């Protein structure tokens, strides 16, 4: 699995250890970045795992999906499991899986919130000495505020308006009822399963969550495939060198901060500084598209290989050399 996360990285670490899941790479990004480059996702593309867990808000997800599509990370063979906000963006690729909170009624959430706060206040007033809050932000920390937070996250509702309610040490809600959403052709949101608290209680006294899929055959995977991906690949990385050769190979120079367009089926193909370039040793940045690129992408999907495409230094095919 590959985890693309920000502040969620700590939670992700706890979750994978608990479930004995191996994360091959963890890629962190800065919130609000709008000029994400291809090199950011290079290590994701080179990984053997094809399962990507992404936690991002809608703005960051939009940027990541745009760049990921341009480097063929949203095609056949991949699995994307994303946060609820990422399911909302307009350029979300088909085949995504994500969780959606079942109870979306605002009034129900307000009622549950008021009840949790009331319970916490009642307990705190019974056992704690309540002090006056400071008059301004510049004064010392209000210790009663810290105590109140501890009482809040200890609260539990077995039958709230939005289901069972409890919180973890970070204050995030546990035991929520979720629908498993699959983004299908045309951007349709289809419910393919549920993730809900089970009735069974663990030895530690916690309610375990239970995942149920309606029918795996109804899921559309990235690239429009109905066949469930293996989740990993033992592939061959090929270096493909080309020249501009219209109408089979079209080349477009990138402007600073620009990325190749997944919608136009463009593939990143820079011009290197040397015949055998080192990683990211590029002189000029280009995008390639056309019949030969489409054929190369399809071959990579069918034969199971990855590739790095770049242009020749001098724009020629080279010369025949009897010695080499």
């Amino acid at each position: 699995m590959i985890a693309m996360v920000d502040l969620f990285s700590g939670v992700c670490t706890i979750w994978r250890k608990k479930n004995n899941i191996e994360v091959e790479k963890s890629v962190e990004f800065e919130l609000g970045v709008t000029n994400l480059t291809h090199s950011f996702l290079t290590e994701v593309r080179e990984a053997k795992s094809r399962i990507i867990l992404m936690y991002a808000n809608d703005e960051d997800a939009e940027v990541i999906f745009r760049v990921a599509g341009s480097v063929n990370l949203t095609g056949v063979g991949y699995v994307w499991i994303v946060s609820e906000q990422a399911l909302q963006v307009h350029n979300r690729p088909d085949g995504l899986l994500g969780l959606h909170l079942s109870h979306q009624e605002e009034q129900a959430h307000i009622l549950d919130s008021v009840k949790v706060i009331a319970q916490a206040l009642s307990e705190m007033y019974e056992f704690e000495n309540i002090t006056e809050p400071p008059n301004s932000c510049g004064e010392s920390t209000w210790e009663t505020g810290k105590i109140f937070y501890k009482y809040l996250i200890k609260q539990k509702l077995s039958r709230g308006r939005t289901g069972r309610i409890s919180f973890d040490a970070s204050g995030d809600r546990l035991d929520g009822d979720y629908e498993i959403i699959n983004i299908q052709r045309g951007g349709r949101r289809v419910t393919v399963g549920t993730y809900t608290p089970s009735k069974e209680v663990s030895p530690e006294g916690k309610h375990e969550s239970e995942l149920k899929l309606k029918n795996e055959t109804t899921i559309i995977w990235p690239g429009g495939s109905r066949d469930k991906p293996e989740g990993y690949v033992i592939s061959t990385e090929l270096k493909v060198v080309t020249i501009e050769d219209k109408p089979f190979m079209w080349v477009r120079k990138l402007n600073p901060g620009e990325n190749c367009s997944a919608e136009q089926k463009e593939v990143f193909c820079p011009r290197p500084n040397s015949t055998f370039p080192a990683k990211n040793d590029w002189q000029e940045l280009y995008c390639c598209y056309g019949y030969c690129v489409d054929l190369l992408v399809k071959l990579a999907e069918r034969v199971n290989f990855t590739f790095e495409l770049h242009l020749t230094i001098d724009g020629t095919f080279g010369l025949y050399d009897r010695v080499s």
Side-chain angles (χ1 to χ4, degrees), residues 4-10 27-31 55-57 60:
M4 294 202 299
V5 298
D6 55 354
L7 299 178
F8 182 65
S9 59
V27 183
E28 296 187 14
F29 57 89
E30 294 183 16
L31 295 174
Y55 184 89
N57 61 32
D60 293 324

Side-chain angles (χ1 to χ4, degrees), residues 108-178:
H109 282 283
I110 292 174
L111 289 171
D112 283 345
S113 299
V114 171
K115 192 167 185 179
V116 166
I117 293 172
Q119 287 184 178
L121 286 172
S122 178
E123 290 183 16
M124 187 176 72
Y125 269 98
E126 184 177 352
F127 300 105
E128 302 293 340
N129 178 32
I130 309 301
T131 61
E132 289 290 330
N135 295 320
S136 66
C137 296
E139 296 183 27
S140 59
T141 304
W142 187 36
E143 292 301 323
T144 301
K146 295 180 180 180
I147 295 171
F148 179 49
Y149 174 75
K150 292 179 180 179
Y151 275 91
L152 273 177
I153 63 177
K154 282 167 44 179
Q155 300 308 309
K156 295 181 181 180
L157 296 181
S158 58
R159 294 184 179 180
R161 293 293 184 94
T162 59
R164 186 184 293 124
I165 297 175
S166 62
F167 306 94
D168 64 14
S170 300
D172 292 323
R173 180 175 174 176
L174 303 172
D175 301 329
D177 294 329
Y178 291 92

Side-chain angles (χ1 to χ4, degrees), residues 55-121:
Y55 184 89
N57 61 32
D58 50 356
E59 294 179 357
D60 293 324
E62 184 177 338
V63 175
I64 292 171
F65 286 147
R66 184 176 69 245
V67 180
S70 69
V71 293
N72 197 34
L73 281 175
T74 57
V76 174
Y78 283 92
V79 176
W80 282 73
I81 303 172
V82 303
S83 54
E84 185 170 1
Q85 287 179 295
L87 291 173
Q88 318 295 333
V89 301
H90 70 92
N91 65 337
R92 61 196 181 199
D94 293 346
L96 295 183
L97 288 171
L99 294 178
H100 173 75
L101 191 63
S102 298
H103 302 282
Q104 294 288 329
E105 305 86 357
E106 183 177 354
Q107 185 177 4
H109 282 283
I110 292 174
L111 289 171
D112 283 345
S113 299
V114 171
K115 192 167 185 179
V116 166
I117 293 172
Q119 287 184 178
L121 286 172

